[in-house]
Amino acid sequence: LYILSGLLLTKFVTLNQVLELSQVGIAFLVFIYGVKFSTTKLKSVADRGALASAFSIIGTTALSVPAALLLGLQQVEIIVFAAASALSSSLIGLELISDDLRKELVHSRIIESIQLIQDLVAVVLMLLLFSSTSGNSLIYGSLIFLMAFAFKRGFTYFAESFRDSTEVIMVFSLGTLALFVSTSIIFEISPVVGAFAAGLALSRYPYSLEIVDTVGTLKDFFTVILFVSLGAIAATANLTVLLTAGVITAFTMLVNPFIIYSSLRSTQENSRISFFTGLGLDQVSEFAVVIAIQAYLLGQIPLNLLQSVVVATALTMTVSSYTTRYEQKLYGIFSKLFNTDEKLESTVEEPQDHIILIGFDTQGKK
């Protein structure tokens, strides 16, 4: 509904105003994602996440480049097309599997690790492509993330003093966001990079939970801004835009998940976890939208390609909510078509009068 309402927005504002709004929305949501992120929970799946990320980015990019050439794209246009095809959305993806993350299911933690790596790749790509001081962009980007790391290390020492004050937590969180965004603007790199670093700087447990609870209502507001903006950008799409968006969607929802599934299977991961992991990464990344917007504002890509990326983003984010909801049924169909049933064997020899304990406490009751 937000996307559809955005179709009416173009009657009241200009395209450049909409682009600015969408980047503001993305920046704040990326900040929230960074705050939520926990490296501690991901250590057990980091190797699988890194392998799947490498395979998905390299494999999908290798396949998408010839498709981009067939569509008549050139240079930066090809990079934007490949980024939209290969990178998955951490904002929508993690929101859709939030229940699985709370249960700490294996596939959800692999998805989270893959998306962090993909987001870091997207940040590096933005630093290389769009900084006016391109020679120093990586240095400036590294400085911002080093600043975030140092900030996180010192955060614990004074966070305890204001953890009981909701107002102070909100002001401190937004002040930190403003500091990092301002720093990125001074360095002439994307504010989204600064917002991401600000989130990571505040991702110290358990204070991160209080920060998310405090600024969570703002997240809903900026979600509206983002999706209404997507609808407004896509309002004048034509057949060429829809064709290109269809190809991006095919790579995002079919090719990329299959590559991730295959890479995890190669590590002896079971079929079910591999399938759910691939299925959870079937949305175009919000970073791909930022890359497309910045490329358009710099005159490096035409409006048609920007609209194609946005249409594909809106479509995949919408459809992904249903693929996640019906993932069990989809796996049932997939396992029958590709004969992925696996034998389960007991690790206990000749068990007698044994008890199987599945979970405990609140989660165990479920």
Side-chain angles (χ1 to χ4, degrees):
L1 290 175
Y2 291 150
I3 293 170
L4 291 176
S5 65
L7 299 176
L8 304 174
L9 186 65
T10 51
K11 298 182 181 295
F12 306 101
V13 295
T14 65
L15 178 60
N16 281 354
Q17 288 174 320
V18 173
L19 295 178
E20 290 176 5
L21 279 174
S22 63
Q23 290 191 87
V24 169
I26 290 173
F28 189 84
L29 293 175
V30 165
F31 165 69
I32 294 293
Y33 163 64
V35 174
K36 287 182 177 181
F37 185 78
S38 171
T39 55
T40 305
K41 293 191 297 183
L42 301 180
K43 290 180 180 178
S44 62
V45 294
D47 54 343
R48 284 170 286 177
L51 179 67
S53 296
F55 270 96
S56 65
I57 292 174
I58 296 172
T60 306
T61 299
L63 294 172
S64 63
V65 168
L69 292 172
L70 288 174
L71 291 170
L73 304 182
Q74 300 175 351
Q75 297 177 344
V76 176
E77 297 172 1
I78 295 175
I79 297 175
V80 172
F81 181 91
S85 301
L87 301 177
S88 303
S89 172
S90 52
L91 299 180
I92 301 302
L94 295 183
E95 188 70 26
L96 291 175
I97 62 167
S98 57
D99 287 341
D100 291 344
L101 278 172
R102 280 193 291 271
K103 299 171 187 174
E104 296 195 7
L105 299 185
V106 175
H107 76 272
S108 67
R109 287 184 286 129
I110 298 176
I111 288 173
E112 192 174 17
S113 65
I114 290 173
Q115 287 176 330
L116 175 67
I117 294 170
Q118 289 190 352
D119 287 349
L120 292 175
V121 170
V123 166
V124 172
L125 187 60
M126 291 166 63
L127 292 174
L128 290 175
L129 285 177
F130 306 124
S131 299
S132 58
T133 55
S134 57
N136 298 322
S137 60
L138 284 177
I139 296 176
Y140 290 146
S142 299
L143 285 175
I144 286 181
F145 282 98
L146 284 174
M147 188 170 102
F149 176 75
F151 191 97
K152 183 177 179 179
R153 297 282 292 182
F155 178 44
T156 308
Y157 295 108
F158 56 85
E160 188 68 29
S161 62
F162 61 73
R163 63 178 300 177
D164 295 327
S165 173
T166 302
E167 293 81 2
V168 175
I169 290 174
M170 177 172 284
V171 171
F172 181 81
S173 303
L174 297 180
T176 302
L177 174 61
L179 171 65
F180 279 85
V181 169
S182 300
T183 303
S184 66
I185 292 174
I186 292 172
F187 288 161
E188 298 183 328
I189 58 181
S190 172
V192 176
V193 175
F196 185 39
L200 295 178
L202 296 175
S203 61
R204 173 73 73 179
Y205 180 84
Y207 311 106
S208 58
L209 299 179
E210 297 175 19
I211 292 171
V212 171
D213 287 342
T214 304
V215 300
T217 51
L218 289 175
K219 186 187 109 175
D220 296 334
F221 172 74
F222 284 99
T223 299
V224 173
I225 288 180
L226 170 60
F227 283 101
V228 171
S229 299
L230 292 181
I233 296 171
T236 58
N238 53 36
L239 287 177
T240 302
V241 169
L242 296 178
L243 173 62
T244 306
V247 177
I248 294 173
T249 300
F251 275 106
T252 303
M253 303 202 74
L254 297 174
V255 177
N256 199 24
F258 182 76
I259 291 175
I260 292 170
Y261 171 85
S262 301
S263 65
L264 290 174
R265 291 290 284 154
S266 69
T267 64
Q268 306 304 312
E269 188 59 79
N270 74 58
S271 178
R272 193 167 182 272
I273 289 177
S274 301
F275 180 83
F276 288 161
T277 302
L279 197 65
L281 294 160
D282 60 350
Q283 326 87 13
V284 175
S285 172
E286 59 283 345
F287 279 102
V289 176
V290 174
I291 289 171
I293 289 173
Q294 293 195 345
Y296 170 74
L297 292 176
L298 292 174
Q300 296 175 330
I301 66 170
L303 178 60
N304 279 356
L305 182 55
L306 169 61
Q307 289 180 317
S308 296
V309 173
V310 169
V311 169
T313 302
L315 180 61
T316 55
M317 286 181 174
T318 303
V319 175
S320 181
S321 64
Y322 292 97
T323 59
T324 302
R325 181 180 300 178
Y326 299 109
E327 61 182 8
Q328 302 286 354
K329 292 182 179 179
L330 290 173
Y331 177 68
I333 297 171
F334 177 83
S335 60
K336 290 177 182 177
L337 289 176
F338 295 93
N339 192 26
T340 60
D341 291 337
E342 296 170 302
K343 294 181 180 179
L344 299 178
E345 298 180 358
S346 173
T347 57
V348 181
E349 295 181 3
E350 301 180 1
Q352 294 180 352
D353 299 326
H354 62 287
I355 295 173
I356 299 176
L357 177 65
I358 305 177
F360 64 95
D361 198 49
T362 304
Q363 188 55 42
K365 293 176 182 178
K366 296 181 182 179

